[in-house]
Amino acid sequence: MATASAHHTARTQADEAADEAARTAAYEVVFDAAVAADERIEPRDWMPDAYRSTLVRQIAQHAHSEIIGMQPEANWITRAPSLRRKAILMAKVQDEAGHGLYLYSAAETLGVGRDELLDKLHSGRQKYSSIFNYPTLTWADVGAIGWLVDGAAITNQVPLCRCSYGPYARAMIRVCKEESFHQRQGYELLLALSQGTPEQHAMAQDAVDRWWWPSLMMFGPPDDESSHSAQSMAWKIKRHSNDELRQRFVDIAVPQAESLGLTLPDPDLVWNEERGHHDFGAIDWTEFWDVLKGNGPCNDQRITQRRRAHEEGAWVREAAAAYADKHTSPAVGTTSTTGETGATRA
Amino acid sequence: MTLTVNTAAALALGDDALVLSHRLGEWAGHAPVLEEEVALANIALDLLGQARVLLSMAGDEDELAYLREERAFRNLQLVEQPNGDFAHTIARQLYFSTYQRLLYAHLASGDGEFAPLAAKAVKEVAYHQDHAEQWTLRLGDGTDESRARMNVAVQALWRFTGEMFQPLDGVDVDWDAMQTAWLESVGDVLRRATLTVPEGPRTGAWTAGAGRQGLHTESFGRMLAEMQHLHRSHPGASW
Amino acid sequence: MTNTDWPLWEVFVRSRRGLSHTHAGSLHAPDAELALRNARDLYTRRGEGVSIWVVPSAAITASSPDEKDPFFEPAADKPYRHPTFYEIPEGVKHL
């Protein structure tokens, strides 16, 4: 005992630091091997801080996008032109709330609370997909969102089902399974308009004209300008590059537009036999960055509505919490913590 | 429009479900907590499903929903009341779902035209009533603010609750017994929620009638204008 | 609880009779009753379940309490736990 304690006190801070570094290095080897072997990283596993913060940022942004994304479509629930369409649209907007919840739940396994994430959304410190800063001006926009925006989202999301972080991958599997109807309903809606009266056809074409380019921007900046891409690919959070996914989406959309009887608003869109892909025109990245910075048509409106719903709901959340205080045993359910048995993490 | 007895009843019940579903749909993106976005949408979707079955018994669902004028709607005034704050929405849900549950339980036990629909719907509305009850308890017995808001809401909507028990041609129910059961059930929930059971009149003084006679409140016209404008702007189009 | 942060609950869903409850995800609710109802709306709205459990996340004790403990070593050193470890002469049935 005496020797051990003497030995212990003799150790310097430098020794401790060296030990810590060695431990971290050892953990990192195990982590890297797991990622390389396509195994999933789970909440209580050791992970590099940057991996954790990248995931929090990405999952939170994804969750926020689902929640903010409810607004442009909810804008048409009360005006849906048939009861069938109204039921479909309500179910779809409801799914988006659900998807937001699955994703917040995944983010919470990383040690951040949903309230903290919502605060960051409300104060503009975390982003959501810029596509939702465009307005839904006509009923056809609901169809264009389903076909193009959800189509682009699905192209992005399917590879995320194999993301290296388990809870995120599992949330995405659930989301993708449920989302399969979203794109189809959008396509069907546009088809009905395209084959309808001349006014309906014009409405559909106008919506596609407005949503096509912003949809292409959803894949993010070109690979050579994307700041997070390389590391995310190495960690298998991301499986394909922005440009790869964008190309995949264009190749899928072109024949779909043809069978819709609608034109995509790009004169440079042409099949390139050599590449085996469609070439397409230059994207206006100035608009993308401008909208991202807050200057889109609906940035203020979306955040204001979200913040208002949250603030106006505060008394309801307080009431339920007060009721629970009075009526449930204090032993359970009163501590906010992190999900998926990451429970002991502070 | 000349209506058979059962068509008139299908319209009345269908309009109730259609209009309340529409009002609940207005909450999308505005709910006080995300979990409640999902819950309110579930209820709205159940009601819309009921409305579609009922309106289809009376004619073409879209023609009936989108092309009738305000005076031709037969829904209760209660269901067309604007959402107000969450307390008003919950009070409206409590009053209506308790009524609907009693009515559909009765219809489901019979062998009339509405029995198949009622058998399915009674399970849905049992859940709606449970949701309303859970929230009434929490808002009533929550904070001072929530109790005050809930008391205002149950009081404000009280005068629309008498109309529910006006006999409806084509629906064979002991309306008085149903009203007694309703008062008992709602009173019990309100008391457990530490709320004041309202005592004022439960119908308006207007002898011409109310929703079942096609007489509605002012906000209903605007609700219909919003709901119908797109459909009406493209006569004959399909969607 | 003086703030409005509702606690977190873990949700377990039995997808059909004969199967055990499996973890579906988590949600926030002020108490068990609402947790159960929220879980019903969120995790079974396409008819994915016949029974739900909700458990306060804080009530779960997880293995590997040392959060720095990296990965479980697979229990690969006890092959005799698996039936394929044993060689049975051909023709012997029902084993």
Side-chain angles (χ1 to χ4, degrees), chain C residues 6-63:
Chain C
W6 290 355
L8 193 65
W9 302 73
E10 300 299 326
V11 179
F12 299 81
V13 176
R14 184 201 296 287
S15 54
R16 58 187 163 83
R17 291 178 180 283
L19 297 180
S20 49
H21 288 75
T22 48
H23 186 245
S26 65
L27 51 75
H28 288 265
D31 53 47
E33 282 100 350
L34 281 195
L36 211 47
R37 286 159 178 85
N38 290 345
R40 177 253 194 203
D41 287 340
L42 184 59
Y43 288 104
T44 67
R45 65 185 184 287
R46 284 176 168 78
E48 298 95 329
V50 295
S51 163
I52 298 173
W53 292 345
V54 291
V55 182
S57 303
I60 290 180
T61 306
S63 60

Side-chain angles (χ1 to χ4, degrees), chain A residues 64 104 117-124 126 128 303 306:
Chain A
H64 298 332
Y104 284 123
L117 298 175
L118 285 175
D119 274 350
K120 286 186 173 156
L121 168 65
H122 298 156
S123 60
Q126 279 179 347
Y128 54 88
I303 278 297
R306 179 85 269 290

Side-chain angles (χ1 to χ4, degrees), chain A residues 51-130:
Chain A
Y51 177 82
R52 184 186 298 273
S53 60
T54 298
L55 277 169
V56 169
R57 182 176 47 78
Q58 182 173 336
I59 301 173
Q61 174 168 336
H62 197 160
H64 298 332
S65 301
E66 296 282 356
I67 299 306
I68 296 287
M70 295 169 71
Q71 291 183 29
E73 290 175 280
N75 182 37
W76 282 93
I77 287 179
T78 54
R79 293 176 286 173
S82 74
L83 296 186
R84 175 173 173 270
R85 291 285 173 205
K86 189 172 184 164
I88 292 169
L89 184 56
M90 270 207 269
K92 178 170 190 278
V93 173
Q94 181 197 38
D95 271 350
E96 279 150 17
H99 297 170
L101 286 168
Y102 302 154
L103 287 160
Y104 284 123
S105 160
E108 284 186 281
T109 64
L110 291 159
V112 286
R114 195 216 289 175
D115 282 295
E116 186 185 334
L117 298 175
L118 285 175
D119 274 350
K120 286 186 173 156
L121 168 65
H122 298 156
S123 60
R125 282 174 295 154
Q126 279 179 347
K127 302 249 176 258
Y128 54 88
S129 176
S130 258

Side-chain angles (χ1 to χ4, degrees), chain A residues 20 27 30-31 34 41 44-45 94-95 98-99 101-102 105 108 114-115 174 178 181 314 317-318 320-321 323-325 328 332-341 343 345, chain C residues 1-10 23-28 30-34 41-43 45-46 48 56-60 62-71:
Chain A
E20 179 66 31
Y27 293 145
V30 180
F31 173 86
I41 306 301
R44 292 170 56 78
D45 294 340
Q94 181 197 38
D95 271 350
H99 297 170
L101 286 168
Y102 302 154
S105 160
E108 284 186 281
R114 195 216 289 175
D115 282 295
R174 198 177 269 274
E178 297 188 351
F181 102 76
R317 299 191 299 277
E318 278 162 25
Y323 178 89
D325 258 1
T328 46
V332 293
T334 50
T335 321
S336 201
T337 180
T338 66
E340 277 214 33
T341 72
R345 201 188 297 283
Chain C
M1 198 172 4
T2 50
N3 57 33
T4 62
D5 300 4
W6 290 355
L8 193 65
W9 302 73
E10 300 299 326
H23 186 245
S26 65
L27 51 75
H28 288 265
D31 53 47
E33 282 100 350
L34 281 195
D41 287 340
L42 184 59
Y43 288 104
R45 65 185 184 287
R46 284 176 168 78
E48 298 95 329
S57 303
I60 290 180
S63 60
S64 183
D66 173 7
E67 65 169 305
K68 295 245 164 148
D69 189 2
F71 299 92

